[in-house]
Amino acid sequence: MAARLVPNVYPSLAGRTVVVTGGNTGIGAAICRAAGGQGCNVVIDFVGDDSPNARVIADVEKAGGRAIAVRADVTRVDDLQRLVDAAVDQFGRLDVWVNNAGVETRSSLLEATEAHYDLELGVNLKGAFFGAQVAAKRFIKQRSRGVIVNVSSVHEDWPMPGNAIYCCSKGGMRMLARNGAVELAGHGIRMVNVAPGAVRTPMNAATLDEPKLAEALEEAIPLGRVSSPDEIASVVLFAASDGASYLTAETITVDGGVSHESPGL
């Protein structure tokens, strides 16, 4: 499916400042582009390869937003705080924080190493937990009703044999949204998970680039196809918008029905 910009259907997001962790590739880049289409100011977090940054920034600006890229390792709290500071320094405030950065080693319980565990739990869960913390502290300081959106996975609730650490990390994100949202509700802060199923991203390239595996996956999805990153981005923006103002402590599953059909792929 060709990339597309989300139409400007969330007017409440115009002018708001959004931080997207893991924002220069995959679902993160789609979220940044879609936020640009809503007139947002976007802080694109990245670690490692900076070559996609110029293209994503150009796409955000072409769509009507503003953007900067900031190198920050989400496993380091000081780096997460640097993302907050960059948003405030460049755009004056922070309104939406998207915990999107994620990694996957596809390790089973018996095969997993301590290094695998530390990597996945560090990026997927520690990064989301402390990302939510630094964002929430900034919202409270601003006296504003901020939103935290966690890009989780169907595997926050659905086992995937052979991918034990990833499932544990996403299961932790499930409870982060529930517990964190209840704690923060009194400050007017919402926290919502968006849980994709199979998405056409670099993380899934090994499956999607193998015709037989890709065919088996698509056959297992009731809608008959893998999602595009843009389809996930549109749900993230809805969750962040005032259209979802009464939605918190919940997960929106966006999986084409796969978690209700397949035994796991």
Side-chain angles (χ1 to χ4, degrees), residues 16-132:
R16 293 190 182 178
T17 299
V18 182
V19 169
V20 183
T21 68
N24 71 351
T25 62
I27 293 172
I31 294 168
C32 291
R33 293 183 175 107
Q38 307 308 307
C40 294
N41 308 312
V42 184
V43 177
I44 304 163
D45 161 64
F46 72 99
V47 65
D49 184 14
D50 64 356
S51 60
N53 293 348
R55 175 63 183 272
V56 178
I57 290 172
D59 288 345
V60 170
E61 293 177 345
K62 181 179 179 181
R66 297 188 292 169
I68 59 170
V70 178
R71 186 186 299 274
D73 180 347
V74 299
T75 69
R76 299 177 60 86
V77 178
D78 287 350
D79 280 20
L80 291 166
Q81 183 60 50
R82 180 144 40 86
L83 292 172
V84 174
D85 294 343
V88 174
D89 291 346
Q90 186 72 24
F91 302 118
R93 59 184 294 109
L94 175 66
D95 299 289
V96 179
W97 182 280
V98 181
N99 282 313
N100 168 76
V103 295
E104 182 182 45
T105 64
R106 297 238 171 179
S107 303
S108 72
L109 178 63
L110 294 178
E111 297 167 333
T113 67
E114 187 175 5
H116 291 151
Y117 181 93
D118 288 345
L119 173 64
E120 290 195 63
L121 268 292
V123 174
N124 299 355
L125 187 54
K126 180 183 178 183
F129 184 97
F130 286 102

Side-chain angles (χ1 to χ4, degrees), residues 77-264:
V77 178
D78 287 350
D79 280 20
L80 291 166
Q81 183 60 50
R82 180 144 40 86
L83 292 172
V84 174
D85 294 343
V88 174
D89 291 346
Q90 186 72 24
F91 302 118
R93 59 184 294 109
L94 175 66
D95 299 289
V96 179
W97 182 280
V98 181
N99 282 313
N100 168 76
V103 295
E104 182 182 45
T105 64
R106 297 238 171 179
S107 303
S108 72
L109 178 63
L110 294 178
E111 297 167 333
T113 67
E114 187 175 5
H116 291 151
Y117 181 93
D118 288 345
L119 173 64
E120 290 195 63
L121 268 292
V123 174
N124 299 355
L125 187 54
K126 180 183 178 183
F129 184 97
F130 286 102
Q133 183 188 82
V134 297
K137 287 182 176 180
R138 179 63 202 179
F139 297 150
I140 291 167
K141 185 175 181 178
Q142 291 175 174
R143 301 178 184 272
S144 63
R145 294 177 175 271
V147 183
I148 299 161
V149 182
N150 306 314
V151 179
S152 179
S153 166
V154 290
H155 299 299
E156 71 170 45
D157 192 51
W158 185 38
M160 184 180 184
N163 208 5
I165 305 172
Y166 185 79
C167 292
C168 288
S169 71
K170 296 302 183 176
M173 291 181 78
R174 175 183 173 90
M175 188 50 69
L176 171 62
R178 283 151 180 74
N179 206 79
V182 171
E183 289 184 0
L184 297 172
H187 298 284
I189 299 169
R190 296 190 296 109
M191 191 187 307
V192 179
N193 279 9
V194 172
V199 186
R200 216 166 273 283
T201 65
M203 185 180 287
N204 292 319
T207 297
L208 298 176
D209 291 346
E210 174 55 52
K212 289 185 179 180
L213 292 177
E215 182 180 0
L217 175 59
E218 291 185 338
E219 287 179 352
I221 300 170
L223 287 184
R225 61 178 178 82
V226 172
S227 169
S228 74
D230 305 283
E231 291 176 299
I232 308 305
S234 67
V235 179
V236 170
L237 291 193
F238 164 71
S241 76
D242 288 355
S245 59
Y246 202 57
L247 178 65
T248 197
E250 293 292 345
T251 294
I252 306 172
T253 301
V254 192
D255 70 347
V258 70
S259 57
H260 297 281
E261 176 72 15
S262 170

